[in-house]
Structures are given as structure tokens and as C-alpha cells.
Amino acid sequence: MATLTRRRKPTPEDQQQNPDPTHDSEDDKQEKIKSLKKGKKKIKKNYSCIDNCCWFIGCVCSVWWLLLFLYNAMPASFPQFVTEAISGPWPDPPGVKCLKQGLKAKHPVVFVPGIVTGGLELWEGHQCMDGLFRKRLWGGTFGEVYKRPSCWVQHMSLDNKTGMDPPGIRVRPVSGLVAADYFAPGYFVWAVLIANLARVGYEEKNMYMASYDWRLAFQNTEVRDQTLSRIKSNIELMVATNGGNKAVIIPHSMGVIYFLHFMKWVEAPAPMGGGGGPDWCAKHIKAVMNIGGPFLGVPKAVAGLFSAEAKDIASVRALAPGVLDSDIFQIQTLQHVMRMSRTWDSTMSMIPKGGDTIWGGVDWSPEEGYSPSKRKHGNDTQKESTGEVREATQANYGRMVSFGKDIAEAPSSEIERIEFRGAVKGNNVANHTCRDVWTEYHDMGFGGIKAVAEYKVYTAGDIVDLFEFVAPKMMERGSAHFSYGIADNLDDPKYAHYKYWSNPLETKLPNAPDMEIYSMYGVGIPTERAYIYKFTTAAECYIPFQIDTSADDKNEDGCLNDGVYTVEGDETVPALSAGYMCAKGWRGKTRFNPSGIKTYIREYDHNPPSNFLEGRGTQSGAHVDIMGNFQLIEDVIKVAAGATGEELGGDQVYTEIFKWSEKIDLKL
């Protein structure tokens, strides 16, 4: 029979001889706590800045997609219901309004997108891009930017010597209307205009998106992709299949000067040109309706090429010093942006043209005396601005780049400038780690960098020489494709070369007296015109020049903010650049317009949306948002349906563009 024994309670002596492993002493507990704390500290050390950045971008993307989902999940009438409750009934969309007026599709329409708005897709790449055949690298969701940033930069860059494809990489423009209808999900470019044209009967058989690789020099789009030949063939086909009705061309932004190049190319004899003959444009084009056209360049291109900045980048740099220059996602952000953008030859097409004659000198500018307007937006009765000038610090807009606010404001007689042309650049200051972010500044010594700063003031006439000094390899490619001067004699045979075709001051318009040219652009938004710079001696692996964001105008009505002088424009293109050629350079019969093509200026006063449910607004004058401006779209539809510029009402002007144009002493 089994017997039960009672377990004896262990005595203190037993515990000392046979310690229970499940019970630790106080000393052991303290040691474990210390070891756990050390482990936690080690874990914190392994949690790097890159992890924080990844989490941050992930959160931003998640919030963006959530908001986009909620917006799309709302009933279609909800935004309109709320907006009408706040600001009154919505007007009919332009397409509906024109349809009610009996307008119908007549002339075929060709869209010419600008820089960066057209999609680019991968056709051949390196191993790091496996699985992305015909996926968008530019446009769409931009997913590859944060998934594989270094690989993306490598594939978006062109060859630094040829300006064409690097070995083993082929990135090509997306074709069709989808190439530029939306830049990113929810961010329209051409989509609103296309939808309204469809209301009056347009479809893909009479609408064509002339997409091209906007990174390439204009002539190289023909050399590599035969893009200009395709545009010519498509226009001819559309005219032939639409009852002989001539085409209405609608270029936007850089697409404006790209199409200017096309009009000279199509007339020129082969092999340099398209062989269409001197009357091709007269036979095939009814009107060219240029939207936000940088005919004479943009100062913003100067800042972008000089320091990879513009006003917005400079402001971010001021809020978070050093962040954009540091190693984020294993790349030095601004250095890689500069390296990549300097391989895009098209950016050099927007360097200001015409020098001091157009943009002003050290002591004058066409817009001198301008101050931010206080006029009321959306006044339909105001066709021409009274241009009220308020007392404010006088801005020397002709000084496109100044080193220091004191230099920007000083009388010219007090500025001592040391010539930089021909200065000794000195020895290479870059070490081998900088070679991955080569920007040409790393080929300059401190002496060259100092020489740039000691010249102190750069006008438009100095800018090309400045770039030839700091970026000679970039300008060697650029000078083969673009020119920035003013022609003395347009009959000189040298102007038959394609490098002059995108400069309206060095070429003639086609012999097409029945054609019309419109310059349509937004106004009422401060637009970059001149910059105050500073330089740092720490040039190794850094861009040595920066916009001085500490420079501000004390007067609230002043034009200087965060180191940038602003004028009237659409936030990207100053009104002077967009409007001068149609206001004066091409107005009537001039040496630039020998056949007397009629020109019209249509300015659209910026009126921001009253609430966020209106999206980007229907009366915006901003450079891209104007593509959704109802009045502009209505003007386009009317011309496409057969109206003339006179039937639109002629010029519509809110700025002093005619007054500014008269100040420019240019032989016409």
C-alpha cells in the first residue's frame, strides 16, 4: 500500500545549500535590470536617422493616400454642395457653357506639355531597376524615388558629355493623352482642359498630346526619338482627316519655346530641318495659344542651375539648416539634384535671353518702380491695371544675382567689382568621396569660388559668362543647342542653325499672315526676379553658393522676401518674359514678325480658391493651376471652335506689360 509523505518546509540552511533557480537574490535582480537597460540603450543607438526619415515619409504617404481615398469616397456632389453653401452657386464648366452656346469641335487640337509635366517610363535599365519595364520613373506615384533613390537618380540623369542616354539606360516619354493629363494622382495638368474639350465633341481622333523627352535639348528629341517628325506627321494627318481645318496648337511652359523651335525646324530643309517649306505653318496652323510661356527665359532657371535652389528650396534650407546638404537616404540631396538637373540640357533653354537690353542693367530695369499690387482680384470691369505704385524700397531688378543685401541696394558708383572672367580657379578642393556627387564646383578651387563672389553683381548680360565659368562642361553642351542674344541681322546665314530657333530674339516667325499667336498667362502672384546670395568657404562636397534667406524688406509692401526679389507673374514666369513678344516684339509687322501675324495678350488675374473643397480653384493664375482656369479654358474652346482673337475681345491686360515693354529699347 502506497504511503503519503509530507514535504518538509525548507529551512534557511537548505536554501543556502540548494538555491532555487526561480528565485533570484536582490543583487542578481539589480544586475539583470542593469543589463536590460544597457540592451535598451544599444537598441536606441541602432535606431538611426534613416529609420526616422523612412517612418516620416511613410506617414506622409499614408496620410496622403487616406485623404485621397476619403475625397474620392465622398459623393460627387458633396464638395459642390458645401462650396455653394459657402460662396454661392458654381458656374457651369466651360465645356457645358460653350455647348449651350452651340459651339462644336472644329479645329484639331495639339497639346505640347512643358518641362517635368510629361511622364517618362523605363525601357532599359541596370539591375537595380529589374521588374520596372515600362513603369513610370517620372510622373505617377514617384514610388521609385524613395524605394531606390540612388538608382532613380542614375536612370533619370543623362550622359554628361553627350546629353543623351547613358550606356545601358533607355528612359522614354509616355505616349497618348495620359502622358501629361495628371502629373501625380489627384494633381491634374491637362486633364481638366481635355475633359471640357470633350464636352463639345473632341476625342482622341482630333486631340493629340505631343509628348517628348523634356530632358533633352530640343534638336536632340529629333535625333534620338524623331519627335519633331512625329509631331509634323500627326498635325498633317489631323488636318487631312478633319476636313482640312487647320490645327490649334496649345503649348504650356517650356513647351512654348519647344514649339517655337518646331516652327523653324518644320520649314527648314533636310537634314537639319523637316523639309516642310516656308508655307507649311500657313497651311496647317490656325493659332498658337501659348500658356505661361517663358519666351525670354526665367530667372528661376538661374537659381536652379547656380545653386539647385529656388525660393521654396531656400526657405526649407533656412528652416532646417544642413538637412538638404546632408546624407539623406544615402544621397546628398541638393548635390545629386544639381548633378542630375545639369545633365538635362533643356533647362539651359530657359536661361534669360536678351541680356541687359531686355532684363535691365545695374541701374535700371523695365519693371522699376513696381510694388505688390493691392488691387481687388476678380474685378471683371478692370481690363487694364492702373498700376498703383506704393512707397516701398526700390528694387534693382536688373541685378539678377547680388552677393549681399547691401550690394543689391547700393548705388552702382559705390560697388567695387573684381572681374571674374579669366580668374585662376585654383586647385581641386574635392576629395574622392565627392566624386559621386560631381557638380563641377568640385573642379574649382577656393580661388575660383571667391572670384565669383567678389564680382558682387550679375546682370542678365553676365549670367551666361557666369555659367561658363562655374560649369564649363554643362555650357559646352548648352551653347551647341541654345543662344541667348539679340540678332543684329536676321538674314545672316548663321541664324539658319537650330541653336537659334528657340530664341524669339534671334529668329523670324513663319510667313503665315492668317495665323494668330496668343500669350496667355496668369498674373497677381509674386514671381521670382532677382536673388541675394551668400557663399561659404566650406566647399568640399557642398554647393558653395546659397540664397541668403535672412535678407528681407522691412516694408510690408516690399518685394524682397527670404533673399528673393519678386515681380508680377504666375509664380514661375515673370509677366515681362511671358508678355513682351506679343506686346511689342511681334506686335504688327516687325523684323521678328515680317508677315504681320496677329498677336494677343490674355492675362488671367489670380483668384485663389475660397475653400479646400474647390481644390486648386477655377480662377487660378498659378503657372500649372491655370490649366484649370475656367476663363482660359473657355477661350481655348472658342478658338478651337473657330473664333478669332478679335471675337474673344482682343487683349485682356491687368499688368503694366505695355508700359514695361516700351522701356525696352530694341530695334524692331
Side-chain angles (χ1 to χ4, degrees), residues 316-629:
V316 171
R317 213 173 193 173
L319 290 172
V323 171
L324 292 178
D325 298 300
S326 62
D327 197 1
I328 301 177
F329 297 130
Q330 301 178 355
I331 66 170
Q332 289 164 303
T333 313
L334 283 184
Q335 285 83 345
H336 276 277
V337 168
M338 175 173 280
R339 185 193 70 171
M340 178 175 68
S341 62
R342 280 190 174 184
T343 68
W344 299 345
D345 289 351
S346 63
T347 58
M348 288 178 275
S349 71
M350 292 186 289
I351 293 174
K353 304 174 179 72
D356 295 0
T357 301
I358 298 294
W359 296 92
V362 174
D363 290 318
W364 81 281
S365 68
E367 308 103 322
E368 60 186 351
Y370 166 81
S371 65
S373 176
K374 299 295 183 183
R375 56 186 168 78
K376 188 176 180 181
H377 291 297
N379 187 348
D380 293 334
T381 63
Q382 183 180 13
K383 290 294 179 184
E384 294 208 19
S385 169
T386 57
E388 302 127 301
V389 178
R390 295 174 176 267
E391 291 296 326
T393 304
Q394 291 298 309
N396 296 309
Y397 291 119
R399 305 178 189 185
M400 199 162 283
V401 171
S402 303
F403 278 88
K405 182 182 177 184
D406 55 335
I407 298 297
E409 297 176 349
S412 59
S413 59
E414 298 179 7
I415 302 175
E416 296 182 5
R417 304 162 79 185
I418 300 175
E419 183 59 63
F420 72 94
R421 300 171 182 88
V424 177
K425 293 186 180 181
N427 296 322
N428 189 337
V429 298
N431 62 29
H432 294 293
T433 62
C434 296
R435 287 305 169 191
D436 290 338
V437 286
W438 176 85
T439 63
E440 288 203 71
Y441 283 127
H442 303 142
D443 291 338
M444 292 177 62
F446 176 70
I449 293 169
K450 186 179 178 183
V452 171
E454 288 183 340
Y455 193 66
K456 296 181 181 177
V457 173
Y458 293 84
T459 64
D462 300 318
I463 293 298
V464 173
D465 290 340
L466 171 64
F467 284 142
E468 288 177 347
F469 185 78
V470 301
K473 295 177 183 178
M474 176 188 77
M475 291 303 292
E476 184 180 357
R477 298 192 321 271
S479 60
H481 288 276
F482 304 108
S483 181
Y484 312 99
I486 300 173
D488 293 324
N489 178 14
L490 286 167
D491 294 322
D492 190 323
K494 76 174 187 178
Y495 292 111
H497 192 273
Y498 60 75
K499 68 180 287 184
Y500 302 102
W501 292 348
S502 60
N503 182 356
L505 302 174
E506 294 182 303
T507 190
K508 298 177 184 178
L509 287 177
N511 182 23
D514 295 331
M515 194 171 83
E516 295 179 330
I517 295 181
Y518 298 78
S519 186
M520 312 167 77
Y521 55 92
V523 295
I525 309 177
T527 304
E528 295 173 39
R529 178 64 165 82
Y531 303 89
I532 295 177
Y533 269 87
K534 62 181 179 180
F535 89 106
T536 173
T537 56
E540 186 173 329
C541 287
Y542 283 82
I543 298 169
F545 307 109
Q546 298 178 11
I547 295 174
D548 186 359
T549 54
S550 66
D552 282 302
D553 199 319
K554 296 178 182 179
N555 191 317
E556 65 177 7
D557 288 334
C559 302
L560 176 61
N561 186 27
D562 291 337
V564 180
Y565 285 103
T566 57
V567 292
E568 188 72 77
D570 68 0
E571 202 170 27
T572 297
V573 182
L576 181 70
S577 179
Y580 172 77
M581 292 309 297
C582 283
K584 183 179 179 182
W586 290 332
R587 184 60 60 110
K589 282 191 177 183
T590 70
R591 66 190 183 106
F592 303 110
N593 180 16
S595 67
I597 294 172
K598 290 184 179 179
T599 63
Y600 300 96
I601 287 181
R602 302 287 292 176
E603 294 183 342
Y604 301 88
D605 198 16
H606 177 66
N607 191 5
S610 58
N611 61 76
F612 77 96
L613 290 173
E614 284 189 37
R616 289 149 62 196
T618 60
Q619 300 178 62
S620 177
H623 187 64
V624 177
D625 294 355
I626 197 173
M627 302 296 283
N629 185 297

Side-chain angles (χ1 to χ4, degrees), residues 42-92:
K42 289 180 181 178
I43 292 171
K44 286 181 180 178
K45 287 181 181 178
N46 292 332
Y47 198 70
S48 67
C49 176
I50 292 181
D51 295 316
N52 286 325
C53 291
C54 290
W55 275 106
F56 174 74
I57 288 187
C59 289
V60 169
C61 292
S62 298
V63 170
W64 167 255
W65 284 110
L66 176 62
L67 292 175
L68 192 63
F69 170 77
L70 292 175
Y71 183 81
N72 289 324
M74 285 191 299
S77 60
F78 181 74
Q80 181 177 352
F81 172 78
V82 175
T83 301
E84 289 182 348
I86 296 172
S87 56
W90 268 9
D92 284 335

Side-chain angles (χ1 to χ4, degrees), residues 199-402:
R199 298 265 193 176
V200 295
Y202 279 92
E203 50 190 278
E204 283 207 84
K205 69 181 181 182
N206 48 15
M207 286 193 292
Y208 168 61
M209 182 70 72
S211 57
Y212 59 99
D213 190 336
W214 45 261
R215 302 172 301 163
L216 297 174
F218 299 160
Q219 191 70 7
N220 278 345
T221 63
E222 174 65 15
V223 173
R224 195 194 73 179
D225 301 333
Q226 294 76 54
T227 302
L228 299 174
S229 294
R230 294 172 190 274
I231 294 173
K232 175 177 179 282
S233 298
N234 275 284
I235 291 176
E236 290 172 345
L237 176 64
M238 292 173 72
V239 170
T241 57
N242 281 272
N245 290 316
K246 300 177 187 178
V248 172
I249 316 298
I250 310 172
H252 173 243
S253 189
M254 191 185 76
V256 168
I257 52 177
Y258 182 72
F259 194 77
L260 189 63
H261 179 98
F262 169 84
M263 287 195 292
K264 294 303 295 182
W265 173 88
V266 76
E267 293 181 339
M272 187 182 294
D279 59 350
W280 189 93
C281 292
K283 290 179 178 178
H284 295 90
I285 300 176
K286 168 186 164 35
V288 183
M289 307 189 76
N290 302 291
I291 303 176
F295 286 108
L296 302 176
V298 287
K300 209 169 187 176
V302 174
L305 291 170
F306 190 48
S307 60
E309 293 180 286
K311 188 175 186 295
D312 46 0
I313 298 294
S315 300
V316 171
R317 213 173 193 173
L319 290 172
V323 171
L324 292 178
D325 298 300
S326 62
D327 197 1
I328 301 177
F329 297 130
Q330 301 178 355
I331 66 170
Q332 289 164 303
T333 313
L334 283 184
Q335 285 83 345
H336 276 277
V337 168
M338 175 173 280
R339 185 193 70 171
M340 178 175 68
S341 62
R342 280 190 174 184
T343 68
W344 299 345
D345 289 351
S346 63
T347 58
M348 288 178 275
S349 71
M350 292 186 289
I351 293 174
K353 304 174 179 72
D356 295 0
T357 301
I358 298 294
W359 296 92
V362 174
D363 290 318
W364 81 281
S365 68
E367 308 103 322
E368 60 186 351
Y370 166 81
S371 65
S373 176
K374 299 295 183 183
R375 56 186 168 78
K376 188 176 180 181
H377 291 297
N379 187 348
D380 293 334
T381 63
Q382 183 180 13
K383 290 294 179 184
E384 294 208 19
S385 169
T386 57
E388 302 127 301
V389 178
R390 295 174 176 267
E391 291 296 326
T393 304
Q394 291 298 309
N396 296 309
Y397 291 119
R399 305 178 189 185
M400 199 162 283
V401 171
S402 303

